[in-house]
Coordinates of all heavy atoms in Angstrom, one line a residue:
L1 N 90.2 144.2 163.5 CA 90.3 145.5 162.7 C 89.4 145.5 161.5 O 88.7 146.5 161.2 CB 91.7 145.6 162.2 CG 92.8 146.0 163.2 CD1 94.2 145.9 162.7 CD2 92.5 147.5 163.7
A2 N 89.2 144.3 160.8 CA 88.3 144.2 159.7 C 86.8 144.5 160.1 O 86.1 145.3 159.4 CB 88.4 142.8 159.0
E3 N 86.4 144.0 161.3 CA 85.1 144.3 161.8 C 84.9 145.8 162.1 O 83.9 146.4 161.8 CB 84.8 143.4 163.0 CG 84.6 142.0 162.6 CD 84.4 141.1 163.8 OE1 84.1 141.6 164.9 OE2 84.5 139.9 163.7
L4 N 85.9 146.4 162.8 CA 85.9 147.8 163.1 C 85.8 148.6 161.9 O 85.1 149.6 161.8 CB 87.1 148.2 164.0 CG 87.1 147.7 165.4 CD1 88.4 147.9 166.0 CD2 86.0 148.3 166.2
C5 N 86.6 148.3 160.8 CA 86.7 149.1 159.6 C 85.5 149.0 158.7 O 85.5 149.6 157.6 CB 88.0 148.8 158.9 SG 89.4 149.4 159.8
E6 N 84.5 148.2 159.1 CA 83.3 148.2 158.3 C 82.6 149.6 158.4 O 81.8 150.0 157.6 CB 82.3 147.1 158.8 CG 82.8 145.7 158.6 CD 82.6 145.2 157.1 OE1 81.9 145.9 156.4 OE2 83.2 144.2 156.8
S7 N 82.9 150.3 159.5 CA 82.4 151.6 159.7 C 83.3 152.6 159.0 O 84.6 152.5 159.2 CB 82.4 151.9 161.2 OG 82.5 153.3 161.5
L8 N 82.8 153.5 158.3 CA 83.6 154.5 157.5 C 84.4 155.3 158.5 O 85.6 155.6 158.2 CB 82.7 155.4 156.7 CG 82.0 154.7 155.5 CD1 81.2 155.7 154.7 CD2 83.0 154.0 154.6
D9 N 83.9 155.7 159.6 CA 84.7 156.5 160.5 C 85.9 155.8 161.1 O 87.0 156.3 161.2 CB 83.8 157.0 161.7 CG 82.8 158.0 161.3 OD1 83.0 158.7 160.3 OD2 81.7 158.2 162.0
C10 N 85.6 154.5 161.4 CA 86.8 153.7 161.9 C 87.8 153.5 160.8 O 89.0 153.5 161.1 CB 86.2 152.3 162.4 SG 85.3 152.5 164.0
A11 N 87.3 153.2 159.6 CA 88.2 153.0 158.5 C 89.1 154.3 158.3 O 90.3 154.2 158.0 CB 87.5 152.7 157.2
N12 N 88.5 155.5 158.3 CA 89.2 156.7 158.2 C 90.3 156.8 159.3 O 91.4 157.2 159.1 CB 88.3 157.9 158.3 CG 87.9 158.5 157.0 OD1 88.7 158.4 156.1 ND2 86.7 158.9 156.9
E13 N 89.9 156.5 160.5 CA 90.8 156.6 161.7 C 91.9 155.6 161.5 O 93.1 155.9 161.8 CB 90.0 156.2 163.0 CG 90.8 156.5 164.2 CD 91.0 158.0 164.5 OE1 90.2 158.8 164.1 OE2 92.1 158.3 165.2
F14 N 91.6 154.3 161.1 CA 92.6 153.3 160.8 C 93.6 153.8 159.8 O 94.8 153.6 160.0 CB 91.9 152.1 160.3 CG 92.8 150.9 159.9 CD1 93.4 150.1 160.9 CD2 93.0 150.6 158.6 CE1 94.2 149.1 160.5 CE2 93.9 149.6 158.2 CZ 94.4 148.8 159.2
C15 N 93.2 154.4 158.7 CA 94.1 154.9 157.7 C 95.0 156.0 158.3 O 96.2 156.1 157.9 CB 93.3 155.4 156.5 SG 92.4 154.1 155.6
S16 N 94.4 156.9 159.1 CA 95.2 158.0 159.7 C 96.3 157.5 160.6 O 97.3 158.1 160.8 CB 94.3 159.0 160.4 OG 93.9 158.5 161.6
L17 N 96.1 156.3 161.1 CA 97.1 155.6 162.0 C 98.2 154.8 161.3 O 99.0 154.2 161.9 CB 96.4 154.7 163.1 CG 95.5 155.4 164.1 CD1 94.6 154.4 164.8 CD2 96.3 156.3 165.0
G18 N 98.1 154.8 160.0 CA 99.1 154.1 159.2 C 98.7 152.6 159.0 O 99.5 151.8 158.7
G19 N 97.4 152.3 159.2 CA 96.9 150.9 159.1 C 97.1 150.3 157.7 O 97.3 149.1 157.6
L20 N 96.8 151.1 156.7 CA 96.9 150.6 155.3 C 98.3 150.0 155.1 O 98.5 148.9 154.5 CB 96.6 151.6 154.3 CG 95.1 151.9 154.1 CD1 94.9 153.1 153.1 CD2 94.3 150.7 153.7
E21 N 99.3 150.7 155.5 CA 100.7 150.3 155.3 C 100.9 148.9 156.0 O 101.6 148.0 155.5 CB 101.7 151.3 155.8 CG 101.8 152.6 155.0 CD 100.7 153.6 155.3 OE1 99.7 153.3 156.0 OE2 100.7 154.7 154.7
V22 N 100.4 148.8 157.2 CA 100.5 147.6 158.0 C 99.8 146.4 157.3 O 100.4 145.3 157.1 CB 100.0 147.7 159.4 CG1 99.9 146.4 160.1 CG2 100.8 148.8 160.2
A23 N 98.6 146.7 156.8 CA 97.9 145.6 156.1 C 98.6 145.2 154.8 O 98.8 144.0 154.5 CB 96.5 146.1 155.7
L24 N 99.1 146.2 154.1 CA 99.9 145.8 152.8 C 101.1 145.0 153.1 O 101.5 144.2 152.3 CB 100.2 147.1 152.1 CG 99.0 147.7 151.3 CD1 99.3 149.2 150.9 CD2 98.6 146.9 150.1
S25 N 101.8 145.4 154.2 CA 103.0 144.6 154.5 C 102.7 143.2 154.8 O 103.6 142.3 154.6 CB 103.8 145.3 155.7 OG 103.1 145.1 156.9
L26 N 101.5 142.9 155.3 CA 101.2 141.5 155.6 C 100.7 140.7 154.5 O 100.5 139.5 154.6 CB 100.1 141.5 156.8 CG 100.6 141.9 158.1 CD1 99.5 142.1 159.1 CD2 101.7 141.0 158.7
L27 N 100.4 141.3 153.3 CA 100.0 140.6 152.1 C 101.1 139.6 151.7 O 100.7 138.6 151.0 CB 99.7 141.5 151.0 CG 98.4 142.3 151.2 CD1 98.2 143.3 150.0 CD2 97.2 141.5 151.3
G28 N 102.3 139.8 152.0 CA 103.4 138.9 151.6 C 103.9 138.0 152.8 O 104.9 137.4 152.6
H29 N 103.1 137.9 153.8 CA 103.5 137.1 155.0 C 103.6 135.6 154.6 O 102.8 135.2 153.8 CB 102.5 137.3 156.1 CG 103.1 136.9 157.5 ND1 103.1 135.6 157.9 CD2 103.7 137.6 158.4 CE1 103.7 135.5 159.1 NE2 104.0 136.7 159.4
R30 N 104.4 134.9 155.3 CA 104.6 133.5 155.0 C 103.4 132.6 155.4 O 103.2 131.6 154.8 CB 105.9 133.0 155.6 CG 105.9 133.1 157.1 CD 107.2 132.7 157.7 NE 107.4 131.3 157.5 CZ 108.4 130.6 158.1 NH1 109.2 131.2 158.9 NH2 108.5 129.3 157.9
W31 N 102.6 133.1 156.4 CA 101.5 132.2 156.8 C 100.2 132.7 156.1 O 99.8 133.8 156.2 CB 101.3 132.4 158.3 CG 102.4 131.8 159.2 CD1 103.1 132.5 160.1 CD2 102.9 130.5 159.2 NE1 104.1 131.7 160.7 CE2 104.0 130.5 160.1 CE3 102.7 129.3 158.5 CZ2 104.7 129.3 160.4 CZ3 103.4 128.2 158.7 CH2 104.4 128.2 159.7
P32 N 99.5 131.7 155.5 CA 98.3 132.0 154.7 C 97.2 132.7 155.5 O 96.6 133.7 154.9 CB 97.8 130.6 154.2 CG 99.1 129.8 154.2 CD 99.9 130.3 155.3
P33 N 96.9 132.4 156.7 CA 95.9 133.1 157.4 C 96.1 134.6 157.6 O 95.2 135.4 157.6 CB 95.8 132.4 158.8 CG 96.4 131.1 158.6 CD 97.4 131.3 157.6
L34 N 97.4 135.0 157.7 CA 97.7 136.4 157.8 C 97.6 137.1 156.4 O 97.2 138.2 156.4 CB 99.1 136.6 158.4 CG 99.3 136.1 159.8 CD1 100.6 136.5 160.4 CD2 98.2 136.5 160.7
R35 N 98.0 136.4 155.4 CA 97.8 137.0 154.0 C 96.3 137.2 153.8 O 95.9 138.3 153.3 CB 98.4 136.1 152.9 CG 99.9 136.0 153.0 CD 100.5 135.4 151.7 NE 100.0 134.1 151.4 CZ 100.5 132.9 151.8 NH1 101.5 132.9 152.7 NH2 100.0 131.8 151.4
A36 N 95.5 136.2 154.1 CA 94.0 136.3 153.8 C 93.4 137.4 154.7 O 92.6 138.2 154.3 CB 93.4 134.9 154.1
G37 N 93.8 137.4 156.0 CA 93.3 138.4 156.9 C 93.6 139.9 156.5 O 92.8 140.8 156.6
A38 N 94.9 140.0 156.0 CA 95.3 141.4 155.6 C 94.5 141.8 154.3 O 94.2 143.0 154.2 CB 96.8 141.3 155.3
A39 N 94.3 140.9 153.4 CA 93.5 141.2 152.2 C 92.1 141.6 152.6 O 91.5 142.6 152.1 CB 93.5 140.0 151.2
R40 N 91.5 140.8 153.5 CA 90.1 141.1 153.9 C 90.1 142.5 154.6 O 89.2 143.3 154.3 CB 89.6 140.1 154.9 CG 88.2 140.4 155.4 CD 87.6 139.3 156.2 NE 86.3 139.7 156.7 CZ 86.1 139.9 158.0 NH1 87.1 139.7 158.9 NH2 84.9 140.4 158.5
L41 N 91.0 142.8 155.4 CA 91.1 144.1 156.1 C 91.3 145.2 155.1 O 90.6 146.3 155.2 CB 92.3 144.1 157.1 CG 92.6 145.4 157.8 CD1 91.4 146.0 158.5 CD2 93.8 145.2 158.7

């Protein structure tokens, strides 16, 4: 998702699908790689 969202069109589409909410929910995940990945995304 992070690679796809480097494109503005893909980032717009991602946001329209509710992706920001998903990424934000993972910022508090118990596993560090998921917190880091969500922040990067």
Side-chain angles (χ1 to χ4, degrees):
L1 285 169
E3 288 175 18
L4 288 169
C5 289
E6 292 284 346
S7 153
L8 292 180
D9 290 337
C10 287
N12 262 326
E13 190 70 30
F14 177 76
C15 293
S16 75
L17 293 170
L20 284 177
E21 290 82 352
V22 173
L24 284 165
S25 72
L26 291 172
L27 289 177
H29 198 278
R30 61 187 291 193
W31 295 121
L34 297 188
R35 292 195 303 273
R40 178 174 174 247
L41 172 57

